[in-house]
Every structure is written in structure tokens, then in C-alpha cells.
Amino acid sequence: MEICGNREMELLKKLGFTRVAGSPEELQAAEILKAECEALGVPAILQDFEIEDADIGTATLEVLEPYNQSYPVTGYKCAQNTFEDGLTAELLYVEDGEDVNLSEAKGKIVLVNPGYMRVPLFKKLMAAGVAGIVTMEGTLRDDRQETDLSTRKLRRTLRAFGSVPMVHTRVLDGFDMVKRGACKAKLVLRGATVEKTSHNVIATVMGTGKPHEIVSFGAHFDSVDFSKGVYDNGAGSVINMEILRYFVENPPYRTVKFIWYGSEEIGLEGSWAYVKAHQEELKDHKLMINVDVGGPVLGTDKVTVTGEEKLTAFADYMAKICACPAKVKQGIYSSDSIPFADSGVPAINFSRDGAPGASYIHDRFDTLSFLSAEALAHTTRLVLEVSRALINGKVFPVERKIPQNMVEEVEKYLYKKELAEVSAEK
Ligand SMILES: [Zn+2]
């Protein structure tokens, strides 16, 4: 069977609408993928799982001194609410949250540089006793009419360290506040947590020789606010559909499972749910193959192996033998391979990353305009060549084990040490 980039592109066009975790559009995309599997003669099922979400009623930020102005903000889902009349406090710009920045931050609303709140900074802000947090995204070059302000969530991992009201604003507006010396503000956040249902799509092609041994292909199909999510990760979704088509026509020696994950963008929720619901089956999983981002005309194929060095060398050799240029390294990749690696299943992550300035991610510019059928087909060939040799081998040469250095990387990524410390304190 010939890999066909144009066929991949056709499916990618069908999926090219915003598909936020737990939304009706995400379910619609799941149904499209399911129907596509079934058109290939492979039954597919939807696994549903609950996700934590929130409806934000009010989120406002008003500078009170030395001037008066309201700025557009979005409210953090699942962060602590203010009272209805809001939180009025001194406003302090604390940059990256160095100790000196935070020495007088107690009881204040703080504006921070990083757009994504992560554990180390959040932990410091909680320890410093801040009363509220403002984060920023975008660039000074933004045109308000052409940029969107996303809605963030204070994830459970962060909430383990505490919670305060949080809002998100543009870099443009953060800049304006700091330049004009904003020093007192009123922040209002009123939201309510709600449960939503998200879905994984699961299709299986039984192995002809060793059906009890499983290799799974994974790609997330959800996107974020405002993003059509074709590069991230409609591309990986259609690449795996093409690989499924190959194994329908060329039955595999081992069983191959294809799983399209929902809710990756809000914290790998789909793959965590899969792993949790398939503990028994997981013992038979030999390898996980994940594809996350693909298709840019200008870019580089990357292969990140969360497994032993020998597997890294194998992937590197295969890429060279098949004349597929790719940067291969051992490491972890922030995607659905993490829950598998955390359960002891080695993983190979494929991505085609856009060249600097030649791709857009997590915003309204993630569109088909910078992708091509040729680039999709190129990555598909690479994924197929590397995985096929393993799936059809008489012996599966990869040990079902994560080497110690990778175990440490995964634990660091999941902030296991910090979480264990905070739960011990409680
Ligand atoms: Zn992604």
C-alpha cells in the first residue's frame, strides 16, 4: 500500500475545527475518527471519561491606582473564587518570582512573566502568601483584533500547593500596567466547577502470530480555544489513520491498537483515563508509539525515545536506512506517551516540528495554510518503517522496562517529588 498524503489531507480538512476537551465538537471529531475506522472495516469504540471543567461567570481586573482602567482578562477555571465584590489589594509585578521579587508580595495581587503556570513558581507564590495572580500571553506586536486570550485552568497538580484567584491577560496589557506604575487593583473571579465528558477512540487490529502482544499507536485529537488544531494534532491523528489502513491491508504479526486521545491539552487526561481503565491489558503492551504535531512544509522530523538507548539507536538506524531525515534522541515528550511510560511501557514519540517562524501552535493561526500532504506522508513513512519492523519481528527485542534515567525524567515532569512532599506535610 502506498502512503497517500492527499488522503491524509482530506481527513485533516474534515477535522479542522476547534475541538476543546469535553465539548460537543470534540465528540464530533471522535465520531469522525470512529466512522473512518469503520469504513476501513475496523470496529471502533468510544471510551468516555469525566474531566473537571468550570463555567466562569465573571473575571475582571481593574487597576485603581495611580490611574483607573479595566483590562480584558480571562478567569482561571478551578481557581479559588473571590467574594462577589472582588479582591482589592496592592498590585505588584514580580517578574519570574525570584526571592527578592517575592519578599514583599504577601497579601498582594502579583503579575508574573511566565504565561504557563508551573509547579516551581506556583509553589513559591503560595509560600510567599500572594492574594491573587495575573499571568500573561501573547506579544507586544499583537493586534487585538487578530489575537485571542485563552482560558486557562488551575490544574489539580498545582492546586495541591494551594489556590488563589487567578486571571490571564495579554502581554500588551501587562506591559501597560507596569509602565504606568499600576500599584492597586481589584480582581473579581466567580466560577463554578462542572464535570464534562470527553472521549477516546479505540480501534484494534488483531495480530496473526502473537495476538496477545500489543503495540499501541496514539495521537490526541483535541485542540485548544480558538485553534483549529490541524498541526497540533489533527496531523498525528490522520497519520495514525493512514498507518491503520496499512495494517488492515497488511495484517500485523502482533496486535496493534489505535487510540485517539481526547483532552490531552488539559493535562493528558485521555491517556491517563486509558491507562487507568486498562491496567490488566497494559501488561501486554510492549510499546507505545505516539505522534504529536506534524505536516509543516518547513520543519524537522524528530523522534524522542522514552526507552532504552538500544531502542534509540534502532530508531536512528531505521530512519537513516529508509532515507527519512530525522533527529533521534532519548528523552521524554510532553504528550500521551507519559502515562504509558509512567506505567512501564516504553514509547517512541514522532513529531514534525515547524522551522522557526514557520508554524503556529495553540492559537488561531494553527491552520492548514502552513501544512502539506508531502510533509504528512513523509512523517507517516518514518512512523511506519520504524514501527513495522518491531511489530512484525519474530521476537520483540525491546524490554518492557523504562531505564532509570527516563524514570527520573518522567518523575520530574510529573513533579512527583514536590507532590509527595506537600502530601506528607498535610
Ligand atoms: Zn499536541
PDB file of all heavy atoms in Angstrom, residues 378-394:
ATOM      1  N   HIS A 378       5.587  12.098   4.474  1.00  0.00           N
ATOM      2  CA  HIS A 378       6.981  11.869   4.864  1.00  0.00           C
ATOM      3  C   HIS A 378       7.057  11.336   6.304  1.00  0.00           C
ATOM      4  O   HIS A 378       7.710  10.333   6.570  1.00  0.00           O
ATOM      5  CB  HIS A 378       7.743  13.197   4.736  1.00  0.00           C
ATOM      6  CG  HIS A 378       9.126  13.143   5.274  1.00  0.00           C
ATOM      7  ND1 HIS A 378      10.197  12.793   4.496  1.00  0.00           N
ATOM      8  CD2 HIS A 378       9.607  13.359   6.520  1.00  0.00           C
ATOM      9  CE1 HIS A 378      11.282  12.794   5.255  1.00  0.00           C
ATOM     10  NE2 HIS A 378      10.953  13.142   6.481  1.00  0.00           N
ATOM     11  N   THR A 379       6.360  11.996   7.218  1.00  0.00           N
ATOM     12  CA  THR A 379       6.378  11.550   8.615  1.00  0.00           C
ATOM     13  C   THR A 379       5.696  10.186   8.741  1.00  0.00           C
ATOM     14  O   THR A 379       6.142   9.331   9.504  1.00  0.00           O
ATOM     15  CB  THR A 379       5.693  12.588   9.526  1.00  0.00           C
ATOM     16  OG1 THR A 379       6.371  13.832   9.360  1.00  0.00           O
ATOM     17  CG2 THR A 379       5.741  12.178  10.999  1.00  0.00           C
ATOM     18  N   THR A 380       4.621   9.985   7.982  1.00  0.00           N
ATOM     19  CA  THR A 380       3.914   8.698   8.029  1.00  0.00           C
ATOM     20  C   THR A 380       4.854   7.556   7.645  1.00  0.00           C
ATOM     21  O   THR A 380       4.870   6.508   8.299  1.00  0.00           O
ATOM     22  CB  THR A 380       2.696   8.709   7.085  1.00  0.00           C
ATOM     23  OG1 THR A 380       1.955   9.903   7.308  1.00  0.00           O
ATOM     24  CG2 THR A 380       1.801   7.507   7.335  1.00  0.00           C
ATOM     25  N   ARG A 381       5.632   7.773   6.601  1.00  0.00           N
ATOM     26  CA  ARG A 381       6.583   6.735   6.172  1.00  0.00           C
ATOM     27  C   ARG A 381       7.580   6.424   7.277  1.00  0.00           C
ATOM     28  O   ARG A 381       7.898   5.266   7.549  1.00  0.00           O
ATOM     29  CB  ARG A 381       7.322   7.164   4.889  1.00  0.00           C
ATOM     30  CG  ARG A 381       6.607   6.717   3.621  1.00  0.00           C
ATOM     31  CD  ARG A 381       7.495   6.883   2.390  1.00  0.00           C
ATOM     32  NE  ARG A 381       7.718   8.304   2.103  1.00  0.00           N
ATOM     33  CZ  ARG A 381       6.860   9.048   1.400  1.00  0.00           C
ATOM     34  NH1 ARG A 381       5.763   8.518   0.893  1.00  0.00           N
ATOM     35  NH2 ARG A 381       7.113  10.318   1.189  1.00  0.00           N
ATOM     36  N   LEU A 382       8.055   7.472   7.922  1.00  0.00           N
ATOM     37  CA  LEU A 382       9.022   7.287   9.011  1.00  0.00           C
ATOM     38  C   LEU A 382       8.395   6.479  10.157  1.00  0.00           C
ATOM     39  O   LEU A 382       8.989   5.517  10.662  1.00  0.00           O
ATOM     40  CB  LEU A 382       9.485   8.664   9.519  1.00  0.00           C
ATOM     41  CG  LEU A 382      10.393   8.696  10.746  1.00  0.00           C
ATOM     42  CD1 LEU A 382      11.715   7.987  10.463  1.00  0.00           C
ATOM     43  CD2 LEU A 382      10.658  10.133  11.184  1.00  0.00           C
ATOM     44  N   VAL A 383       7.171   6.856  10.555  1.00  0.00           N
ATOM     45  CA  VAL A 383       6.481   6.146  11.642  1.00  0.00           C
ATOM     46  C   VAL A 383       6.295   4.685  11.259  1.00  0.00           C
ATOM     47  O   VAL A 383       6.555   3.770  12.047  1.00  0.00           O
ATOM     48  CB  VAL A 383       5.104   6.790  11.947  1.00  0.00           C
ATOM     49  CG1 VAL A 383       4.342   5.984  13.000  1.00  0.00           C
ATOM     50  CG2 VAL A 383       5.262   8.242  12.390  1.00  0.00           C
ATOM     51  N   LEU A 384       5.864   4.461  10.005  1.00  0.00           N
ATOM     52  CA  LEU A 384       5.589   3.096   9.561  1.00  0.00           C
ATOM     53  C   LEU A 384       6.855   2.245   9.528  1.00  0.00           C
ATOM     54  O   LEU A 384       6.867   1.120  10.030  1.00  0.00           O
ATOM     55  CB  LEU A 384       4.927   3.124   8.169  1.00  0.00           C
ATOM     56  CG  LEU A 384       4.582   1.742   7.600  1.00  0.00           C
ATOM     57  CD1 LEU A 384       3.587   1.000   8.496  1.00  0.00           C
ATOM     58  CD2 LEU A 384       4.022   1.861   6.181  1.00  0.00           C
ATOM     59  N   GLU A 385       7.916   2.775   8.971  1.00  0.00           N
ATOM     60  CA  GLU A 385       9.157   1.987   8.837  1.00  0.00           C
ATOM     61  C   GLU A 385       9.690   1.572  10.208  1.00  0.00           C
ATOM     62  O   GLU A 385      10.087   0.435  10.407  1.00  0.00           O
ATOM     63  CB  GLU A 385      10.229   2.789   8.081  1.00  0.00           C
ATOM     64  CG  GLU A 385       9.903   3.064   6.628  1.00  0.00           C
ATOM     65  CD  GLU A 385       9.891   1.828   5.733  1.00  0.00           C
ATOM     66  OE1 GLU A 385      10.155   0.709   6.232  1.00  0.00           O
ATOM     67  OE2 GLU A 385       9.594   1.982   4.536  1.00  0.00           O
ATOM     68  N   VAL A 386       9.714   2.516  11.141  1.00  0.00           N
ATOM     69  CA  VAL A 386      10.269   2.217  12.467  1.00  0.00           C
ATOM     70  C   VAL A 386       9.370   1.222  13.206  1.00  0.00           C
ATOM     71  O   VAL A 386       9.847   0.263  13.808  1.00  0.00           O
ATOM     72  CB  VAL A 386      10.456   3.507  13.301  1.00  0.00           C
ATOM     73  CG1 VAL A 386      10.875   3.180  14.726  1.00  0.00           C
ATOM     74  CG2 VAL A 386      11.489   4.424  12.647  1.00  0.00           C
ATOM     75  N   SER A 387       8.056   1.405  13.131  1.00  0.00           N
ATOM     76  CA  SER A 387       7.161   0.568  13.934  1.00  0.00           C
ATOM     77  C   SER A 387       6.925  -0.805  13.318  1.00  0.00           C
ATOM     78  O   SER A 387       6.853  -1.809  14.024  1.00  0.00           O
ATOM     79  CB  SER A 387       5.832   1.287  14.161  1.00  0.00           C
ATOM     80  OG  SER A 387       5.216   1.587  12.935  1.00  0.00           O
ATOM     81  N   ARG A 388       6.849  -0.868  11.997  1.00  0.00           N
ATOM     82  CA  ARG A 388       6.553  -2.128  11.310  1.00  0.00           C
ATOM     83  C   ARG A 388       7.598  -3.201  11.614  1.00  0.00           C
ATOM     84  O   ARG A 388       7.265  -4.356  11.889  1.00  0.00           O
ATOM     85  CB  ARG A 388       6.475  -1.875   9.802  1.00  0.00           C
ATOM     86  CG  ARG A 388       6.271  -3.125   8.976  1.00  0.00           C
ATOM     87  CD  ARG A 388       6.024  -2.799   7.525  1.00  0.00           C
ATOM     88  NE  ARG A 388       7.103  -1.995   6.951  1.00  0.00           N
ATOM     89  CZ  ARG A 388       7.074  -1.484   5.719  1.00  0.00           C
ATOM     90  NH1 ARG A 388       6.011  -1.673   4.951  1.00  0.00           N
ATOM     91  NH2 ARG A 388       8.075  -0.769   5.256  1.00  0.00           N
ATOM     92  N   ALA A 389       8.855  -2.817  11.596  1.00  0.00           N
ATOM     93  CA  ALA A 389       9.932  -3.780  11.846  1.00  0.00           C
ATOM     94  C   ALA A 389       9.767  -4.405  13.228  1.00  0.00           C
ATOM     95  O   ALA A 389       9.984  -5.604  13.409  1.00  0.00           O
ATOM     96  CB  ALA A 389      11.280  -3.069  11.730  1.00  0.00           C
ATOM     97  N   LEU A 390       9.351  -3.598  14.196  1.00  0.00           N
ATOM     98  CA  LEU A 390       9.183  -4.104  15.565  1.00  0.00           C
ATOM     99  C   LEU A 390       7.915  -4.952  15.681  1.00  0.00           C
ATOM    100  O   LEU A 390       7.911  -6.028  16.278  1.00  0.00           O
ATOM    101  CB  LEU A 390       9.122  -2.932  16.555  1.00  0.00           C
ATOM    102  CG  LEU A 390      10.421  -2.142  16.710  1.00  0.00           C
ATOM    103  CD1 LEU A 390      10.159  -0.826  17.428  1.00  0.00           C
ATOM    104  CD2 LEU A 390      11.478  -2.956  17.449  1.00  0.00           C
ATOM    105  N   ILE A 391       6.829  -4.447  15.103  1.00  0.00           N
ATOM    106  CA  ILE A 391       5.530  -5.134  15.214  1.00  0.00           C
ATOM    107  C   ILE A 391       5.576  -6.517  14.565  1.00  0.00           C
ATOM    108  O   ILE A 391       4.982  -7.467  15.056  1.00  0.00           O
ATOM    109  CB  ILE A 391       4.422  -4.247  14.582  1.00  0.00           C
ATOM    110  CG1 ILE A 391       4.173  -3.025  15.475  1.00  0.00           C
ATOM    111  CG2 ILE A 391       3.129  -5.028  14.364  1.00  0.00           C
ATOM    112  CD1 ILE A 391       3.443  -1.891  14.795  1.00  0.00           C
ATOM    113  N   ASN A 392       6.303  -6.626  13.460  1.00  0.00           N
ATOM    114  CA  ASN A 392       6.333  -7.896  12.718  1.00  0.00           C
ATOM    115  C   ASN A 392       7.528  -8.774  13.039  1.00  0.00           C
ATOM    116  O   ASN A 392       7.674  -9.849  12.467  1.00  0.00           O
ATOM    117  CB  ASN A 392       6.280  -7.616  11.215  1.00  0.00           C
ATOM    118  CG  ASN A 392       4.916  -7.089  10.782  1.00  0.00           C
ATOM    119  OD1 ASN A 392       3.909  -7.347  11.447  1.00  0.00           O
ATOM    120  ND2 ASN A 392       4.876  -6.347   9.702  1.00  0.00           N
ATOM    121  N   GLY A 393       8.387  -8.347  13.942  1.00  0.00           N
ATOM    122  CA  GLY A 393       9.560  -9.162  14.284  1.00  0.00           C
ATOM    123  C   GLY A 393       9.150 -10.458  14.974  1.00  0.00           C
ATOM    124  O   GLY A 393       8.185 -10.475  15.740  1.00  0.00           O
ATOM    125  N   LYS A 394       9.879 -11.549  14.703  1.00  0.00           N
ATOM    126  CA  LYS A 394       9.553 -12.834  15.343  1.00  0.00           C
ATOM    127  C   LYS A 394       9.675 -12.704  16.855  1.00  0.00           C
ATOM    128  O   LYS A 394       8.894 -13.269  17.623  1.00  0.00           O
ATOM    129  CB  LYS A 394      10.490 -13.941  14.828  1.00  0.00           C
ATOM    130  CG  LYS A 394      10.139 -14.436  13.449  1.00  0.00           C
ATOM    131  CD  LYS A 394       8.857 -15.286  13.429  1.00  0.00           C
ATOM    132  CE  LYS A 394       8.370 -15.523  12.015  1.00  0.00           C
ATOM    133  NZ  LYS A 394       7.036 -15.057  11.741  1.00  0.00           N
TER     134      LYS A 394
END
